[in-house]
Each structure stands twice: as structure tokens, then as C-alpha cells.
Amino acid sequence: MRLPTPDDPEMMAVVDQYLMPRERYLKLLHSNFLAMPARERSRFGRELSASARQISDQELSLLLDGEWRSRLTAAWLIGIDRRAQFHSRLHAMLLDSELVYSGQGYCFAFARFADEPAAASLVAYLDRYLPDPTCHYNQDWAMGALLHLDERLRTDHAARFLAPRGLWARSAMRDQDPTELKEKMDRRCSFAETITS
């Protein structure tokens, strides 16, 4: 893992440019930007969209080598710009779940990719982590993203998880309403569509 330290000026530069303006990563965390006043959210969206278009694949890869703030921000930028060439890397990182919060961004990116490989990655993640009733990772974000994709792709991948006495009902997420999780992901993706159109 690369940290933004004076010993790593390359990482410092990309972090300063893409994470720190107006503490962007804190606004991406938990989709906190959705609670902003409309004018402030609009400005945030314009700046986020511009960064998503501007950042290079090399800079994104560098951020994905970093700590959770860097990974979260990189994943959102990847999702905003729909850079599906990062699918394999995000898939591995989601399944590894090494760092807190960064999985939120991976799930958002997969929702934005809106294809079967993205759905397969979310299914693989849920298969791995839902069976552990003590595991509170990003299963809620993954389920919201998978339900979002099911609607877009006209598939039914989430059904077996949500069956009565299925994995969801026995998981650490059992008290969360999947419909609400989907609605939250719908809002995130709608915001992304608005700022990129």
C-alpha cells in the first residue's frame, strides 16, 4: 500500500489533486454529497465529473494502490467515467475487502458499468461474505448495486439471496431493507448520469 508521504511525491500530487479539494473523499464516503444543498451538490458534481474525465488511467491505478480514501475516490471516478477496463482489478479488490469503506466505491463502479460481468462480481462478493453473520462489510452496497443492475439488465441475480430464509435473511445485513438499498444506489447512479450528460 502506498501512502501520501513526502517520500512519495507522485502519490502526494495525485492525492492533492483528486482527493483533497474540498475534502472530496468525505463527501463520497457514504454518498454524503446527496445530503448537500442543491447548489453545493451541483458544484460538487461538476468538479467530480471534470476530474473523472481528466484523471489518467495511470493516476487511477496509483490511487488504487493507496489507502482507503484513495481507493474510494478512485473507484468513484472510475464509475463516473465508466472505465470498465478496471473491472478485473476492482473485482479482486472487492473480494479481498482489505480496507474499510473502499468497497462502497467498487460497488458504485459496478452499478455504473451496468453489464453482466459487473453483476457477476457483485454475486461473487455476496456469495463470499453473506454467509458470515458477523461480517459487516459492504454487503448493503453490493445488494443495492445488484438490484439496480437486475432492473437495468432485466435479470434476477439477487433473487436467490433474498429468498425466504436465504442468505440475506441470515446475514449481518438482515435488518436492512433491500428495496431501500436499491433506491439509494439508483440515486447515486442518477446523480452520475446528471453530471455526465
Side-chain angles (χ1 to χ4, degrees):
M1 180 188 326
R2 290 176 69 171
L3 298 175
T5 65
D7 296 339
D8 192 344
E10 185 182 26
M11 178 62 94
M12 286 281 289
V14 76
V15 164
D16 286 346
Q17 184 169 0
Y18 294 107
L19 271 71
M20 300 314 295
R22 304 182 209 287
E23 297 185 314
R24 174 180 284 162
Y25 73 91
L26 287 177
K27 294 174 176 70
L28 294 173
L29 180 65
H30 311 307
S31 305
N32 289 327
F33 63 86
L34 290 174
M36 289 178 178
R39 182 175 294 180
E40 188 179 347
R41 187 173 60 246
S42 178
R43 177 181 180 178
F44 173 78
R46 286 193 306 273
E47 292 174 353
L48 185 66
S49 178
S51 290
R53 289 190 309 271
Q54 174 185 341
I55 192 169
S56 70
D57 283 358
Q58 180 180 352
E59 289 170 321
L60 285 167
S61 292
L62 187 60
L63 288 177
L64 290 174
D65 288 338
E67 42 69 71
W68 72 265
R69 295 166 192 83
S70 298
R71 294 180 186 193
L72 173 71
T73 304
W76 272 87
L77 294 172
I78 288 167
I80 294 291
D81 205 41
R82 286 195 168 122
R83 296 201 198 181
Q85 64 266 34
F86 284 95
H87 174 265
S88 295
R89 186 157 184 200
L90 294 184
H91 172 90
M93 294 174 83
L94 180 64
L95 289 182
D96 289 345
S97 290
E98 292 178 333
L99 300 174
V100 297
Y101 305 129
S102 52
Q104 295 178 6
Y106 310 151
C107 292
F108 167 75
F110 288 137
R112 286 284 290 163
F113 293 167
D115 58 17
E116 279 295 337
S121 291
L122 295 165
V123 166
Y125 176 79
L126 292 169
D127 274 331
R128 178 173 293 187
Y129 290 105
L130 282 181
D132 182 350
T134 66
C135 181
H136 293 81
Y137 285 176
N138 298 117
Q139 299 98 308
D140 51 347
W141 281 68
M143 181 56 72
L146 186 59
L147 287 167
H148 174 83
L149 289 183
D150 272 346
E151 182 174 83
R152 292 216 41 195
L153 302 173
R154 298 181 180 171
T155 54
D156 205 15
H157 297 296
R160 67 180 174 89
F161 299 114
L162 300 177
R165 295 186 300 280
L167 281 177
W168 189 261
R170 302 191 311 270
S171 76
M173 301 287 144
R174 60 187 166 273
D175 293 330
Q176 297 212 40
D177 181 354
T179 302
E180 290 180 9
L181 299 175
K182 177 191 175 293
E183 289 170 358
K184 288 178 183 177
M185 190 58 71
D186 290 346
R187 286 185 66 203
R188 296 171 190 127
C189 290
S190 177
F191 171 79
E193 285 295 325
T194 299
I195 67 173
T196 56
S197 59

